[in-house]
Amino acid sequence: MTPFPEFPPEFVWGTATAAYQIEGAVDEDGRGPSIWDTFCATPGKVAGGDSGAVACDHYHRWEQDVALLTRLGTNAYRFSVAWPRIQADGTGAPNPKGLAFYDRLVDALCAAGIAPMATLFHWDTPQPVEDRGGWLARDTAERFAEYAAIVAGALGDRVRHWVTLNEPVVHLLLGYATGVHAPGRTLLVEALPAAHTLLLGHGLATRALRAAGATSVGLTNNYSPAWPATGQAEDVAAAASWDVLYNRLFTDPVLAGGYPEELRAFGDPLPAGHEDDLAVLAEPLDFLGVNYYNPTKLAAPPEGGPLPFEIAPMEGFPTTSFGWPVVPDGLRQLLVGLAERYGDRLPPLHITENGCSYDDEPDADGAVHDPDRVAYLEAHLRAVRAAMDSGVDVRGYFVWSLLDNFEWAEGYSKRFGLVHVDYETQARTPKSSFDWYRGVVTRGV
Ligand code: FCB
């Protein structure tokens, strides 16, 4: 095995988390209900009937978690701000106690020399905003920008990097089209107008952040290379259709000035007058956040099927406990592909999420060994380095996740952390991958 590659001294190393997945304390200090509270309370929606009501209790244990970050030695940390903590109703005056929580967290990170990267929307819409139409209502984009301005006003002097939205395509497809995630809508292609509102919210929030002095603003998308199941023209066309929906819908309007023409294959999915917003959507980014887990294989749909593709099984790769195929070279392909597709218009990249779930449990001595995660991370970092060697401008890498946490519809059954969490006791136990990553990020320091 060739030696582990060098990364530039200024490379940003981090871990990522999200508010609903770790904070708990859903009824405290003026936090209002979010769509995830509602969804978790609906029988049959989340594995094991789990909810984020307690999660990792990070709201109370944040000092311990910052101490873990200090021990890890990373120079950055990506977290998300819960909109319902800042505005319980999704509008109007901010809740000072909600802001104070993030204020303390950001202060502690800065004191530890860890650059905060704050995500403004990681899927936890205030329930009242959803009740007024959620991301299908244009007003939500305006309210989101108002909230962005509030948070930037409070934390902007210390937060180094901002992410407006996390993975809007996942929120759209799982939250509004198929109902696997909150808010549990099953609108199928009728969900597509929400893409425009999400992008409008991103653009308006970007402007609000800049007006408050932010100098590093990005959008985080989930990308999955589209692999045709065979070389046959029908399968190649199916892969291209899926690529439009999954990889291009939330990137072309931002980096290439408009929606992909091929979106027409899904009907006439955009709200009337959307053209007038395109300049807002194309507000320049300081960086693009890339979340990568795996490629997707596509085949031609059955005759008369509702969509122009069908997802095919990925065979021949090891899988994580989620059943997701482990394909490190997919990350290299994706990064090189973004550079090829968007050329000079592609801003610098941060890998804002990459990681894996395994059934990690303590051994008889209480230690948690996760060699599969070490192998996964090492292989993916080599893929990042290979993309950089072919000219892609990657500035940072954030492991998903610092802690085992509430994995959405899978509840607590999937463990993605560098740190094991015992949900009975809230004991945190760094896994062997934690020590491995510390070795990577502190090299040469
Ligand atoms: C991503 C989400 C993140 C986490 C990982 C496993 O899609 O952004 O919150 O659930 O998947």
Side-chain angles (χ1 to χ4, degrees):
M1 182 62 98
T2 47
F4 193 75
E6 295 284 332
F7 284 80
E10 65 281 7
F11 199 73
V12 177
W13 293 106
T15 54
T17 62
Y20 191 75
Q21 294 180 274
I22 64 167
E23 286 180 359
V26 291
D27 293 324
E28 271 179 65
D29 291 342
R31 180 190 180 278
S34 81
I35 56 171
W36 272 95
D37 299 295
T38 309
F39 192 72
C40 293
T42 312
K45 296 295 184 190
V46 175
D50 292 343
S51 85
V54 178
C56 307
D57 196 29
H58 171 76
Y59 191 75
H60 300 115
R61 293 168 197 260
W62 59 275
E63 282 174 293
Q64 190 184 348
D65 295 335
V66 174
L68 282 168
L69 289 171
T70 306
R71 188 168 147 196
L72 184 59
T74 39
N75 57 14
Y77 171 59
R78 175 175 177 239
F79 64 96
S80 83
V81 177
W83 186 358
R85 272 195 207 290
I86 308 304
Q87 293 174 300
D89 192 40
T91 181
N95 166 23
K97 288 187 173 169
L99 283 174
F101 170 69
Y102 298 105
D103 191 64
R104 291 191 292 273
L105 175 66
V106 165
D107 268 352
L109 292 169
C110 292
I114 300 166
M117 176 184 273
T119 301
L120 289 168
F121 179 71
H122 202 124
W123 307 345
D124 47 356
T125 311
Q127 184 61 48
V129 172
E130 192 59 42
D131 295 341
R132 295 192 289 268
W135 289 105
L136 285 159
R138 187 179 175 91
D139 184 59
T140 297
E142 314 262 351
R143 299 286 72 75
F144 179 64
E146 183 182 277
Y147 150 71
I150 291 169
V151 180
L155 308 178
D157 54 337
R158 288 153 292 152
V159 166
R160 181 90 53 86
H161 305 287
W162 295 93
V163 173
T164 54
L165 307 177
N166 179 71
E167 299 188 353
V169 75
V170 175
H171 193 55
L172 176 80
L173 296 181
L174 298 192
Y176 285 87
T178 60
V180 174
H181 280 185
R185 310 280 311 263
T186 49
L187 299 169
L188 301 175
V189 289
E190 304 289 312
L192 283 171
H196 186 70
T197 326
L198 282 156
L199 281 164
L200 183 63
H202 155 74
L204 293 173
T206 300
R207 288 185 173 176
L209 290 165
R210 293 237 165 86
T215 55
S216 181
V217 181
L219 165 69
T220 280
N221 281 319
N222 184 297
Y223 292 105
S224 180
W227 288 3
T230 72
Q232 292 190 346
E234 298 77 17
D235 291 342
V236 173
S241 281
W242 185 85
D243 196 39
V244 164
L245 186 65
Y246 203 89
N247 294 317
R248 294 177 56 194
L249 175 59
F250 287 97
T251 314
D252 281 18
V254 180
L255 299 182
Y259 286 98
E261 298 236 326
E262 299 88 332
L263 203 56
R264 278 199 242 105
F266 298 91
D268 184 16
L270 297 169
H274 69 270
E275 297 87 354
D276 298 340
D277 298 324
L278 289 180
V280 185
L281 275 51
E283 196 62 44
L285 298 183
D286 299 300
F287 67 92
L288 177 66
V290 171
N291 290 0
Y292 170 75
Y293 291 93
N294 51 258
T296 304
K297 206 167 252 192
L298 290 312
E303 196 80 33
L307 294 169
F309 57 78
E310 183 174 76
I311 294 180
M314 284 278 279
E315 276 150 9
F317 294 96
T319 53
T320 68
S321 74
F322 219 128
W324 294 353
V326 178
V327 190
D329 195 55
L331 178 53
R332 186 196 58 79
Q333 286 175 22
L334 153 62
L335 297 171
V336 170
L338 283 170
E340 280 171 3
R341 180 173 282 161
Y342 298 106
D344 291 347
R345 294 174 296 192
L346 187 70
L349 306 178
H350 280 279
I351 313 301
T352 39
E353 283 180 32
N354 176 234
C356 49
S357 67
Y358 289 107
D359 296 330
D360 316 307
E361 288 302 339
D363 65 16
D365 298 327
V368 184
H369 294 288
D370 57 344
D372 289 342
R373 178 167 294 98
V374 171
Y376 179 103
L377 295 175
E378 171 163 356
H380 284 76
L381 278 167
R382 286 180 187 275
V384 172
R385 183 66 251 190
M388 292 166 73
D389 290 342
S390 43
V392 186
D393 185 0
V394 183
R395 303 281 175 93
Y397 176 89
F398 294 73
V399 174
W400 183 271
S401 180
L402 174 66
L403 305 169
D404 291 341
N405 60 46
F406 174 77
E407 178 47 39
W408 309 116
E410 302 295 326
Y412 296 99
S413 67
K414 302 288 180 273
R415 294 182 175 274
F416 277 89
L418 297 177
V419 176
H420 179 273
V421 176
D422 178 327
Y423 297 111
E424 295 293 313
T425 63
Q426 291 295 346
R428 274 97 161 117
T429 307
K431 306 179 189 175
S432 44
S433 58
F434 180 99
D435 295 326
W436 176 84
Y437 194 48
R438 179 175 52 197
V440 168
V441 307
T442 57
R443 256 151 65 111
V445 172

